[in-house]
Amino acid sequence: MEHTRMIRTAQVLDKLAKVLSVLFLVVSILMMVLGGVCAFIVGMGGADLGQASPEIAFGPLSLELADGAAVSPAYYTTISIAILVGGLFVLVVSRVGFRAIRSILEPMTVGRPFEERCSRALKTLALLTLVGGACMQVGTWIMTYLMSLQIDVVSLFAPEAVTGVTVHFTFGVNFLLFAGILYLLSFVFRYGEVLQRESDETV
């Protein structure tokens, strides 16, 4: 009874992973199209964009600038490229990631959770988490640096209250922890694969 329930759960999770894979594919394509269109618009009319009353973002904050407060067209170019690269990043990570996840779930749907490809798929997920997390970290640093060059942040505040701005680059370690856990799980599955192979040979 418990074995049947686990198989059904694996089947549901496999179908969910398939749907999410398609959803992430659509989102990544839309992001790349949006980034490309924005880059084209900036290239065609970038000289006039900075003369409007733009809204700029600082993390969770959005600042609406007064009339005449110009922002360099390079700001919009950076945003467009970030959207385009972000879409490509989501495409690669989601395709590789969901393929590995489904490689783990598919044997479970037939009651064989310790097929040899499962441990390899977990190692792939660990490597993907490590590389993807590092790319996101570096990408955040680059975006922060470029934004600090293109926007005169001090001029947005009262000069008697703010006299300077310092950009601090932070380093998150969560992706290292997750990658380590996945890598350890791959060894657990590898041990299960050995036991299952020995059981099959015995039978």
Side-chain angles (χ1 to χ4, degrees), residues 12-193:
V12 172
L13 291 176
D14 184 56
K15 291 178 181 178
L16 179 61
K18 185 176 181 179
V19 172
L20 289 176
S21 176
V22 175
L23 178 61
F24 272 84
L25 175 62
V26 172
V27 170
S28 62
I29 292 175
L30 290 176
M31 287 178 66
M32 288 187 288
V33 171
L34 177 62
V37 170
C38 290
F40 176 77
I41 293 174
V42 171
M44 295 297 293
D48 300 325
L49 290 174
Q51 307 304 320
S53 299
E55 184 177 281
I56 60 176
F58 287 98
L61 301 178
S62 293
L63 304 180
E64 185 175 344
L65 303 187
D67 293 339
V71 173
S72 169
Y75 170 81
Y76 300 100
T77 303
T78 302
I79 295 296
S80 301
I81 294 175
I83 295 174
L84 185 61
V85 174
L88 181 60
F89 178 79
V90 171
L91 175 63
V92 173
V93 170
S94 62
R95 299 302 289 176
V96 176
F98 281 111
R99 185 177 301 165
I101 291 173
R102 295 198 67 200
S103 294
I104 298 171
L105 291 173
E106 285 175 0
M108 295 182 182
T109 62
V110 293
R112 295 181 62 84
F114 294 111
E115 291 291 333
E116 290 190 8
R117 56 179 171 169
C118 292
S119 62
R120 291 197 300 267
L122 280 168
K123 287 182 180 179
T124 299
L125 285 176
L127 181 61
L128 182 66
T129 302
L130 185 63
V131 175
C135 289
M136 289 184 63
Q137 188 72 68
V138 173
T140 301
W141 289 344
I142 293 174
M143 281 295 296
T144 301
Y145 176 71
L146 291 177
M147 290 301 180
S148 69
L149 294 179
Q150 295 161 11
I151 301 175
D152 185 5
V153 180
V154 176
S155 66
L156 303 178
F157 301 92
E160 64 273 10
V162 178
T163 58
V165 174
T166 302
V167 178
H168 296 282
F169 296 97
T170 59
F171 182 80
V173 297
N174 289 340
F175 72 95
L176 297 175
L177 177 62
F178 291 142
I181 292 174
L182 288 171
Y183 196 69
L184 288 175
L185 281 175
S186 72
F187 280 101
V188 174
F189 269 74
R190 180 60 181 162
Y191 181 69
E193 291 165 6

